[in-house]
Coordinates of all heavy atoms in Angstrom, one line a residue:
P328 N -20.6 17.2 -110.6 CA -20.1 17.8 -109.4 C -18.8 17.2 -109.0 O -18.7 16.0 -108.9 CB -21.2 17.5 -108.4 CG -21.9 16.3 -108.9 CD -21.7 16.3 -110.4
Q363 N -21.3 13.7 -100.4 CA -20.3 13.2 -101.4 C -19.0 12.8 -100.7 O -18.5 11.8 -101.0 CB -20.0 14.3 -102.4 CG -19.1 13.8 -103.5 CD -18.8 14.8 -104.6 OE1 -19.7 15.6 -104.9 NE2 -17.6 14.8 -105.1
A395 N 9.6 10.7 -88.6 CA 9.6 12.2 -88.5 C 9.6 12.7 -90.0 O 10.4 12.3 -90.8 CB 10.9 12.6 -87.8
D444 N -7.6 9.9 -92.9 CA -8.8 9.5 -93.7 C -9.9 8.9 -92.8 O -11.1 9.2 -93.0 CB -8.4 8.4 -94.7 CG -7.6 9.0 -95.8 OD1 -7.5 10.3 -96.0 OD2 -7.0 8.3 -96.6
A457 N -26.8 12.1 -90.1 CA -27.6 13.1 -89.4 C -28.5 13.8 -90.4 O -29.6 14.1 -90.2 CB -26.8 14.1 -88.7
S517 N -16.4 14.1 -82.8 CA -17.7 14.7 -83.3 C -18.6 13.7 -83.9 O -19.8 13.7 -83.7 CB -17.3 15.8 -84.3 OG -16.4 16.7 -83.8
A527 N -28.3 6.3 -83.2 CA -28.2 5.5 -84.4 C -28.2 4.0 -84.0 O -27.4 3.6 -83.2 CB -27.0 5.8 -85.2
E557 N 5.8 16.0 -73.0 CA 6.6 16.9 -73.7 C 5.8 17.7 -74.7 O 5.9 18.9 -74.9 CB 7.8 16.3 -74.4 CG 8.9 15.8 -73.5 CD 9.9 14.9 -74.2 OE1 9.9 14.7 -75.4 OE2 10.7 14.3 -73.5
Y570 N -4.1 19.7 -76.8 CA -5.3 20.0 -76.0 C -6.6 19.6 -76.8 O -7.5 19.1 -76.2 CB -5.4 21.4 -75.5 CG -4.3 21.7 -74.5 CD1 -3.1 22.3 -74.9 CD2 -4.5 21.4 -73.2 CE1 -2.1 22.6 -74.0 CE2 -3.5 21.7 -72.2 CZ -2.3 22.3 -72.6 OH -1.3 22.5 -71.7
L576 N -11.2 13.6 -76.4 CA -11.3 12.2 -75.9 C -11.9 12.1 -74.5 O -12.6 11.2 -74.2 CB -9.9 11.6 -75.9 CG -9.3 11.3 -77.3 CD1 -7.8 10.9 -77.2 CD2 -10.1 10.3 -78.0
G581 N -17.0 10.7 -71.4 CA -18.0 11.2 -70.5 C -17.4 12.1 -69.4 O -18.1 12.4 -68.4
D582 N -16.1 12.5 -69.5 CA -15.4 13.2 -68.5 C -15.5 14.7 -68.9 O -14.4 15.3 -69.3 CB -14.0 12.7 -68.3 CG -13.2 13.5 -67.2 OD1 -13.9 14.2 -66.5 OD2 -12.0 13.3 -67.2
P609 N 3.9 34.7 -83.6 CA 5.3 34.7 -83.8 C 6.0 33.3 -83.9 O 6.9 33.1 -84.7 CB 5.9 35.5 -82.7 CG 4.8 36.2 -82.1 CD 3.5 35.5 -82.4
A626 N -6.6 27.0 -86.6 CA -7.5 25.9 -86.6 C -7.6 25.2 -85.3 O -8.6 24.8 -84.8 CB -7.2 24.9 -87.7
A627 N -6.4 25.0 -84.7 CA -6.3 24.4 -83.4 C -6.9 25.2 -82.3 O -7.6 24.7 -81.4 CB -4.8 24.0 -83.1
I653 N -8.5 35.3 -80.5 CA -8.5 34.4 -81.7 C -8.9 35.3 -82.9 O -8.3 35.2 -84.0 CB -9.5 33.2 -81.5 CG1 -8.9 32.3 -80.5 CG2 -9.7 32.6 -82.9 CD1 -9.9 31.1 -80.1
A682 N -18.6 33.5 -88.1 CA -19.9 32.9 -87.5 C -19.9 33.2 -86.0 O -21.0 33.5 -85.5 CB -19.9 31.4 -87.8
T701 N -16.5 32.0 -105.8 CA -18.0 31.9 -105.7 C -18.5 30.5 -105.3 O -19.7 30.3 -105.1 CB -18.6 32.2 -107.1 OG1 -18.0 31.3 -108.1 CG2 -18.4 33.6 -107.5
D717 N -23.9 33.8 -97.4 CA -23.6 33.0 -98.6 C -23.3 34.0 -99.8 O -23.1 33.6 -100.9 CB -24.6 32.0 -99.0 CG -25.9 32.7 -99.5 OD1 -26.2 33.8 -99.1 OD2 -26.6 32.1 -100.3
A752 N -26.7 10.9 -109.2 CA -25.8 11.9 -109.9 C -24.6 12.2 -109.0 O -23.5 12.3 -109.5 CB -26.6 13.2 -110.1

Side-chain angles (χ1 to χ4, degrees):
Q363 183 181 326
D444 286 348
S517 306
E557 285 168 10
Y570 293 96
L576 292 171
D582 181 12
I653 290 173
T701 55
D717 72 330

